[in-house]
Amino acid sequence: MKARSIASVDLDSYQRAARLILTHHLVTTTFPDRSALSSLRRWATELREDLLATFGYRLEVTETTARLFTVADRLDPGSGTTTATDRPFDRRRYAYLALAIAALGRGGGQITLSELADHVASDAGRVDGVDLDTGRAADRDAFVDAVAWLTVRGALALADGDAGGWASDPGRGEALYDIDRAVVAAMFRPPRALQHLTSVRALLGSSVPHGDSGEVRRRVRRALVQKPVVYAEELSDDEALQLALPRTTDEVELLTGLVCERRAEGVALVDTSGRLSDVRFPNTGTVAQVALLLAGEICDRVLDPDAAAPELMPLPADVHDALVAAIDGAIPRSGLFTPLVSATPGEFVDRPGGVSERAVAMHPLIEDSWITGTIGRLVHTYGRTFAAQWQADPVGLARAATERLEQMRLVVRTAGGVLALPALARFRGVTVSVRKRDPEIDLFPDSSPPGDLPSSSASTVSDSIDTEIS
């Protein structure tokens, strides 16, 4: 491993570069910032070797781009990209993004927003269930979100005009973009030609031969950087054994500079710097704060000696196969190039040890009704510190907070409620303090305040809530 030979004075720089490419996968001259690419190019040779040996990831670095080709071992329904306002991309936005990348790959050096929309609309008309009508405001907004995503990452650069003006009125507004063809080419590089596939499984990590401990170890390491928590009960026997070996996590720690927190139930790669996490937890904001409060309440409920013990249940049946089947059912068979269709699309995971004889882990069931009541009580107690939209929507707040906990793999959704997973205990003992804003200081106690400020203006400032783990 190249990281072992790097001088201690340079190791932090190397680890920051590793975290950077593991977080963003695509780095350009402007994304995520103007200094990122130079820091990656400094360590390109070492990173290329270590990322391949540790995770099986392939790194390509050019003068203008750095692209990490990762390996997904299973589909994650919670992953995806968002708009500039953190709104998750829906099916329409993903379709427009894919078609825009295809259109830009055929373009020249510049293109107007309306021209790009015409190309996307023409291509969308040939795909069942997809269309782009620039006469519809919703379609224009979705298309502009896709273009904004490309602009942030450097595939497009605004040369003139305003995309917002075009979205409001395409007859009056317009925007001109420069195209960076190197970035466009680096964005979409699937490991297999999609026209040759009959199943999305062929894009996932291939099954490993019996006894290939190196690939099993890489698969576990990939899980460590792709998931907030890796639970041993979700792994095969060979994978659980690799997770328990110090060598598996030691090299991940050396490469990333993060710390693996090990428990009997599994391992979490703890990122106190916030430089590898796409979602930080705990965090500020109403949803994150309420999710942390809810985590503490669930821990208290599970450990409460005066209440009836919660029902214990195993993890719900794996929904991965159902998700694969749903995606495979949407593949347009008319677009397959049958002479080169993959005959064996590959399996997700190999269980060389046969059926596991490990005891099935059981987890406390927290009913939806209890969660709703608990959130209602939290809103009643601390609601004045919450964002206005959540004060009026406790049901939506309960759903958002639960989704945040599930996203962090602290709970898992099941019929009638959620199952509390072991890592949730890390957040027991949450304490709350309400920080009141200081009243406005009166600089003129013997006269009227200057200007036209109302004397009660300070009272309109909301209090805020602080939560911490004791």
Side-chain angles (χ1 to χ4, degrees):
M1 190 175 188
K2 291 291 186 181
R4 299 189 187 282
S5 62
I6 295 176
S8 57
V9 69
D10 293 324
L11 186 58
D12 180 66
S13 173
Y14 176 76
Q15 291 170 337
R16 281 189 281 111
R19 292 195 298 266
L20 178 67
I21 195 61
L22 285 169
T23 302
H24 297 289
H25 299 177
L26 174 68
V27 174
T28 66
T29 55
T30 58
F31 179 79
D33 56 60
R34 294 188 180 277
S35 64
L37 185 61
S38 60
S39 66
L40 274 170
R41 284 174 56 83
R42 176 188 177 188
W43 300 107
T45 301
E46 294 84 356
L47 283 173
R48 188 179 295 111
E49 182 172 322
D50 283 354
L51 289 168
L52 182 62
T54 306
F55 305 111
Y57 292 168
R58 181 167 56 88
L59 176 65
E60 289 185 2
V61 180
T62 69
E63 291 184 1
T64 58
T65 63
R67 181 70 162 90
L68 184 65
F69 296 91
T70 61
V71 177
D73 293 303
R74 61 187 296 130
L75 301 177
D76 181 3
S79 64
T81 192
T82 60
T83 67
T85 56
D86 287 333
R87 177 182 177 183
F89 265 39
D90 54 16
R91 180 177 181 272
R92 175 167 47 186
R93 284 168 171 79
Y94 278 119
Y96 292 166
L97 177 59
L99 294 174
I101 293 174
L104 293 173
R106 303 189 299 265
Q110 285 189 322
I111 193 169
T112 65
L113 190 59
S114 58
E115 288 174 337
L116 182 57
D118 289 341
H119 286 304
V120 171
S122 176
D123 291 340
R126 287 177 274 182
V127 181
D128 292 339
V130 180
D131 65 333
L132 170 59
D133 183 355
T134 56
R136 291 196 296 256
D139 284 10
R140 295 196 303 272
D141 289 342
F143 175 70
V144 168
D145 283 340
V147 170
W149 189 93
L150 293 168
T151 304
V152 167
R153 285 152 183 81
L156 294 172
L158 183 65
D160 194 15
D162 175 29
W166 180 88
S168 300
D169 185 355
R172 293 176 176 270
E174 184 59 282
L176 176 67
Y177 291 92
D178 295 324
I179 303 173
D180 190 323
R181 297 183 61 82
V183 176
V184 173
M187 278 187 166
F188 185 66
R189 299 272 297 279
R192 304 283 296 278
L194 301 186
Q195 295 88 341
H196 303 167
L197 305 182
T198 58
S199 173
V200 70
R201 289 184 188 274
L203 296 177
L204 302 179
S206 60
S207 59
V208 301
H210 177 75
D212 190 347
S213 60
E215 182 56 34
V216 175
R217 188 180 303 117
R218 281 189 286 271
R219 191 160 61 207
V220 173
R221 288 170 177 163
R222 291 196 290 264
L224 286 171
V225 295
Q226 292 174 359
K227 300 178 181 180
V229 185
V230 179
Y231 292 108
E233 65 180 292
E234 298 179 310
L235 305 177
S236 69
D237 288 345
D238 283 355
E239 291 168 340
L241 175 61
Q242 290 296 333
L243 183 67
L245 296 176
R247 176 186 174 188
T248 301
T249 54
D250 287 349
E251 293 188 356
V252 176
E253 290 180 312
L254 179 60
L255 178 59
T256 63
L258 306 184
V259 177
C260 285
E261 185 175 290
R262 186 181 295 277
R263 296 291 185 270
E265 299 85 359
V267 176
L269 192 64
V270 180
D271 179 18
T272 57
S273 69
R275 294 172 180 170
L276 187 60
S277 304
D278 54 347
V279 177
R280 299 195 66 178
F281 187 80
N283 202 358
T284 57
T286 297
V287 172
Q289 292 283 300
V290 171
L292 181 58
L293 291 173
L294 181 59
E297 294 287 344
I298 293 175
C299 290
D300 291 343
R301 169 68 184 89
V302 172
L303 299 174
D304 188 355
D306 299 324
E311 179 183 356
L312 298 179
M313 296 179 61
L315 291 177
D318 191 0
V319 298
H320 184 261
D321 288 345
L323 182 57
V324 168
I327 294 176
D328 289 351
I331 294 177
R333 303 294 166 178
S334 60
L336 294 177
F337 188 62
T338 52
L340 294 179
V341 161
S342 172
T344 55
E347 297 297 328
F348 152 62
V349 66
D350 181 43
R351 307 281 184 180
V355 178
S356 174
E357 297 180 357
R358 288 177 292 166
V360 176
M362 306 295 283
H363 305 281
L365 171 65
I366 307 299
E367 297 87 354
D368 285 331
S369 58
W370 183 91
I371 293 176
T372 301
T374 300
I375 292 295
R377 178 166 52 83
L378 293 175
V379 171
H380 176 75
T381 305
Y382 306 110
R384 68 183 185 277
T385 69
F386 296 167
Q389 70 178 101
W390 298 120
Q391 293 181 31
D393 185 15
V395 174
L397 180 58
R399 181 172 57 252
T402 304
E403 288 175 352
R404 181 64 59 88
L405 293 180
E406 186 172 24
Q407 184 180 25
M408 303 308 299
R409 308 202 77 219
L410 302 176
V411 303
V412 62
R413 171 63 61 183
T414 191
V418 299
L419 300 182
L421 300 182
L424 189 73
R426 195 173 191 269
F427 300 98
R428 65 182 180 272
V430 174
T431 59
V432 180
S433 62
V434 178
R435 183 175 68 247
K436 293 184 176 295
R437 300 294 179 91
D438 293 333
E440 194 170 14
I441 299 175
D442 188 358
L443 299 179
F444 305 92
D446 298 325
S447 61
S448 299
D452 299 324
L453 291 176
S455 58
S456 61
S457 61
S459 64
T460 64
V461 180
S462 300
D463 299 333
S464 61
I465 185 173
D466 287 335
T467 53
E468 59 183 27
I469 305 165
S470 61

